[in-house]
Amino acid sequence: MLDFNLGGTYYLALDGAEYRKVYALLREALETTNRAGIATFVMRNRQYLAALKAEKHVLALHVLHWADEVRDPHRELGGSLPDRSGSTAQELGTAVQLIEAMTIDWQPLDYKDTYQVQVRALIDAKQAHETVEKAVPAPRSTALADLMATLQTNVEHARGTSERRSRRSG
């Protein structure tokens, strides 16, 4: 059983000009067939399982987990997972509308590692012997009184945000 929870991605480069044709042919064949090659490789005295894929004119090697490293989520999480939501068709339809209304094109540069920025600011403050405030505890979760009303409100908000976004980009 293969698990595509990645342990890391590596982009493969040529080791010499004489391999250009072979590299390009393998990348193009994998892209044309929409297939991945499964391989093993050794790095730092450890053998890894990997999927070799064509991505944006380059070969990418995605490290996979071995079968004995993959855990069964149902066994790990016990009986706490519901089989079905028990929701009505209307609730499911509204939830699907919310997801569709919030769907945007993925722009990786729009996302920043704010945790690293905060850690760096904390380190800088400590090095400058500044007073560092303790973090405010996270707010406690509350029970949803009316799931349908909450979903509908979120759908309307997401539609408005989506419309404003498309007007700005258009």
Side-chain angles (χ1 to χ4, degrees):
M1 174 166 117
L2 294 177
D3 177 15
F4 278 90
N5 289 331
L6 303 177
T9 299
Y10 299 89
Y11 296 110
L12 305 180
L14 296 171
D15 194 23
E18 66 270 21
Y19 301 111
R20 291 180 78 82
K21 185 173 183 178
V22 173
Y23 182 98
L25 180 62
L26 178 57
R27 191 208 53 76
E28 190 173 351
L30 288 172
E31 182 178 59
T32 300
T33 60
N34 196 28
R35 302 273 182 176
I38 302 300
T40 59
F41 70 99
V42 175
M43 179 172 62
R44 295 184 210 104
N45 297 321
R46 182 170 180 240
Q47 185 177 28
Y48 294 90
L49 180 64
L52 180 68
K53 292 180 62 185
E55 295 182 7
K56 297 183 182 176
H57 306 294
V58 67
L59 287 173
L61 189 78
H62 298 284
V63 178
L64 307 175
H65 292 287
W66 295 100
D68 63 344
E69 296 172 331
V70 178
R71 299 185 306 212
D72 178 0
H74 294 284
R75 190 174 66 226
E76 295 293 324
L77 300 174
S80 64
L81 296 174
D83 289 335
R84 302 292 249 153
S85 67
S87 301
T88 66
Q90 184 182 9
E91 289 169 332
L92 178 59
T94 304
V96 168
Q97 278 183 322
L98 175 60
I99 290 170
E100 292 299 329
M102 294 177 73
T103 299
I104 59 170
D105 288 337
W106 167 245
Q107 299 295 329
L109 294 177
D110 289 348
Y111 296 85
K112 306 288 185 239
D113 186 351
T114 58
Y115 177 76
Q116 289 296 325
V117 171
Q118 292 169 344
V119 168
R120 173 55 36 208
L122 179 63
I123 291 169
D124 292 345
K126 286 204 170 238
Q127 285 177 335
H129 304 290
E130 296 174 4
T131 304
V132 177
E133 298 293 324
K134 289 191 176 192
V136 176
R140 294 170 43 124
S141 66
T142 58
L144 289 177
D146 183 357
L147 179 60
M148 196 60 198
T150 302
L151 284 171
Q152 195 60 47
T153 300
N154 286 330
V155 166
E156 290 166 8
H157 175 75
R159 281 186 180 150
T161 302
S162 179
E163 289 171 6
R164 285 190 298 276
R165 198 179 313 122
S166 62
R167 276 188 295 226
R168 276 190 299 225
S169 64

